[in-house]
Every structure is written in structure tokens, then in C-alpha cells.
Amino acid sequence: MVPTTRLLAALAFTVGVPLLVLGWLWLVGRLEAVLPERLHRRLVPWLWLAPALVPVGVFLAWPLANTVWLSLRDAGSGAWAGLDNYHYLATSGEVHTALRNNLLWLVLLTGGCLAVGLLVAVLTDRVRYEAVAKAAVVLPTAIPFVAGAVIWRFMYQYRPPGLPQTGTLNAVLTAAGAAPVAWLVDTRTNNAALIAVGVWMSAGFATVILSAALKAVPAELHEAARIDGAGPWQAFRHVTLPELRPTIAVTATLLAVSAFKAFDIVYVMTNGNYRTDVIANLMYRQLFVDQDYGRASAIAVLLTLLAAPILVLNARATRGSTR
């Protein structure tokens, strides 16, 4: 049974927090009516924003500041280390490999998902089998990343030539007379194989977003293009694509952030071996295996700095699409 203290804490949180917010808003409303004009302009907007700013400070700003502080400490967080952990980031070969792989994830996952999503959205738009075709692409998004990685680990399974191949892909290759491929071991194929799993599991997200944006394109624009003599490709290039550009930009930035956070697939399928490490997997290993809190925090700061420009671009693209 759940202890009584936990039940009381849950009740206090679920009931007390909404009541506290409502009480704060009521108080701000009363203050707004009595404050002088000079204070009204400077103070009241911040008072209205306080219920949102406080959680941001507690759950985002403070952990971020604490992570930066820990990145300047030693492995056990007991002594000052200065910039030693950042020197490790700048000189370590495993960090450089992880950064290179994250760049591959950024380019191939984002580009692959956008290409598949846009292709499916355009080709299945207003056809009878649209729902079935889109469901086939979207269905993998309902599968947890760990489960999807396990499925594809069996798909990529490799046995030496001459032995029965239990992996689906290698069974097909050997049936066609080709040699089996060590998909997850061979450094020429393993990163691409991992990213292909990510595309398989994330393309449905891009398909849903781009399909919704495609249906919002005014039909009058296509009719005007056809009247002007534009063919299907010209109509897509000069009418559809410009209308979809803000949505593509937002979707691309969200996929790019997912690429930087890639962890589940790599951890389950290779655990970073065979030069497949990524930043998130390296941070996990430093924190939970090596128990080096300083280096793990420095890697977390690096990951935040890498993702920050993408988040800024996402905010700008979102603001631009709403104008």
C-alpha cells in the first residue's frame, strides 16, 4: 500500500498548487486596481508572469546553473577542477567521435524524416488509400524507442557466411546470393543502420505535421497555377513548397533536437561500440558507469550549447509562421 504521507503529499500538490495559483492571480488582480500608474507598467506584467517564471526557474534555470557548477568540479564533485573537464572535451578522441556521429544523426535523421514525411504527404494527398498509407508510416511512432531498437537488432543480426542467417536483412541477402553484412559491427554501415532505425521511428511525426500543413494550402493557389499553365512539378515548387516552408523549418528544428538527444537506439543496439558513440550515450557512461560527475556535467553543458541555436531557430520559425 502507498504510505499515507505520499498520499497526503500527492493530494497537497494536485489540490494545493492550483489553489495557490488561483490565489496569486486573484491577488494580482486586486493589486492591479490599486497600484499607481508608474508601478503598474513596470510591476504588473511580471506579477502576471510569476506563476510561469517560478517553475521555469526551479525546474530549468536552477538545474542548468547547478550543472555548470558541477562541470567545474572533480569526478566526485568534492574539489575544484576549473576547466579540466572542458579540456577533456576538447582533447578526447571519444568525444570527437561522438560529435562526428551526432553530426551524422543531425543531417541524416533530419533530412531523412523530412524527405519521407514530405514524400508521403504529397503522394497520398486526396487519394482513396491515404489513411492506410499514412497509418503505415505513422504506426512506428507508437512503438517505444527501446522496443524499436530491439526489433531492428534482430533485423540486423549477423552470422558468419555459411551459417544460417537469423537476421531478416541478411537472410534476404543470402537468399539472393549475396554475402551477409555485419550491419552493426562494420564501421562503414553501423551508423547509417542506426540512423535508419531513427528515421523509421520518427518519419511518422514529420508526415503528420507536413500533411496537416499541406491540407491548409489554399486550393485557389493551385487552381491559379494550373490556369497559368504550371505543371505538377512547377505547382509544387512555386506554390506548395513556399507555403510549407515555415512548417518544414519548425519540423526540421524539432527533429534536429531529437538527433542531438539520440540515446535509446545507440544504447540498446551497440552501446556506443564500433565507433557509434553519441554525446548522450557518452554522458550516460561517464555518469553511471565511470561515476565522473564533473565530466558528465561538462558533456551535458556541451549538449545544451549545441542544442541552443536550434531552439532559437525553432522559436524564430514558429514566430514567423504565426504572422
Side-chain angles (χ1 to χ4, degrees):
M1 295 181 63
V2 180
T4 304
T5 54
R6 293 188 179 181
L7 289 175
L8 292 176
L11 183 63
F13 184 82
T14 56
V15 177
V17 171
L19 290 177
L20 184 63
V21 173
L22 289 175
W24 176 260
L25 296 178
W26 174 84
L27 178 62
V28 173
R30 296 296 298 270
L31 288 174
E32 189 176 12
V34 300
L35 284 175
E37 183 67 21
R38 182 174 58 84
L39 290 178
H40 186 280
R41 293 181 178 179
R42 295 182 179 180
L43 186 61
V44 169
W46 294 105
L47 293 177
W48 284 113
L49 289 173
L53 293 178
V54 170
V56 168
V58 172
F59 298 109
L60 182 61
W62 166 247
L64 179 59
N66 188 55
T67 301
V68 174
W69 170 254
L70 290 176
S71 71
L72 302 173
R73 314 286 290 182
D74 66 354
S77 302
W80 182 259
L83 298 178
D84 289 349
N85 295 318
Y86 292 97
H87 181 264
Y88 156 76
L89 296 182
T91 58
S92 172
E94 61 180 359
V95 175
H96 297 165
T97 299
L99 287 172
R100 184 204 65 188
N101 292 336
N102 266 112
L103 181 60
L104 285 175
W105 276 84
L106 176 66
V107 175
L108 297 181
L109 179 72
T110 304
C113 289
L114 286 177
V116 173
L118 188 59
L119 187 66
V120 173
V122 172
L123 294 182
T124 62
D125 188 43
R126 299 184 181 91
V127 297
R128 290 183 299 174
Y129 54 86
E130 178 182 6
V132 177
K134 289 180 180 177
V137 179
V138 175
L139 186 61
T141 61
I143 303 175
F145 274 82
V146 172
V150 172
I151 292 171
W152 278 92
R153 188 172 182 179
F154 286 116
M155 295 279 286
Y156 287 138
Q157 197 164 9
Y158 166 82
R159 300 186 72 188
L163 296 178
Q165 297 296 324
T166 56
T168 304
L169 294 182
N170 281 323
V172 173
L173 287 176
T174 53
V181 177
W183 299 100
L184 300 179
V185 176
D186 193 336
T187 56
R188 296 171 297 179
T189 60
N190 50 16
N191 280 297
L194 295 176
I195 296 171
V197 178
V199 172
W200 179 74
M201 303 196 67
S202 303
F205 166 76
T207 300
V208 170
I209 301 300
L210 295 175
S211 179
L214 182 63
K215 292 186 180 301
V217 177
E220 294 81 3
L221 295 178
H222 291 283
E223 293 176 3
R226 282 194 295 269
I227 293 173
D228 290 339
W233 168 248
Q234 291 175 321
F236 173 77
R237 180 182 176 185
H238 297 290
V239 176
T240 304
L241 201 57
E243 291 291 320
L244 294 180
R245 189 170 292 121
T247 304
I248 292 175
V250 173
T251 307
T253 53
L254 294 175
L255 290 170
V257 172
S258 298
F260 275 122
K261 297 190 302 180
F263 169 74
D264 318 63
I265 295 173
V266 176
Y267 180 77
V268 172
M269 299 184 74
T270 64
N271 195 23
N273 296 315
Y274 316 113
R275 300 182 66 82
T276 60
D277 228 346
V278 290
I279 290 295
N281 194 66
L282 181 60
M283 181 177 65
Y284 173 87
R285 189 164 59 250
Q286 289 289 342
L287 182 60
F288 294 104
V289 178
D290 298 338
Q291 295 186 344
D292 192 325
Y293 301 108
R295 288 186 176 181
S297 299
I299 296 172
V301 172
L302 174 63
L303 188 59
T304 302
L305 293 176
L306 292 174
I310 298 176
L311 296 176
V312 172
L313 291 175
N314 183 34
R316 290 184 176 179
T318 304
R319 185 169 59 237
S321 64
T322 58
R323 290 177 179 175

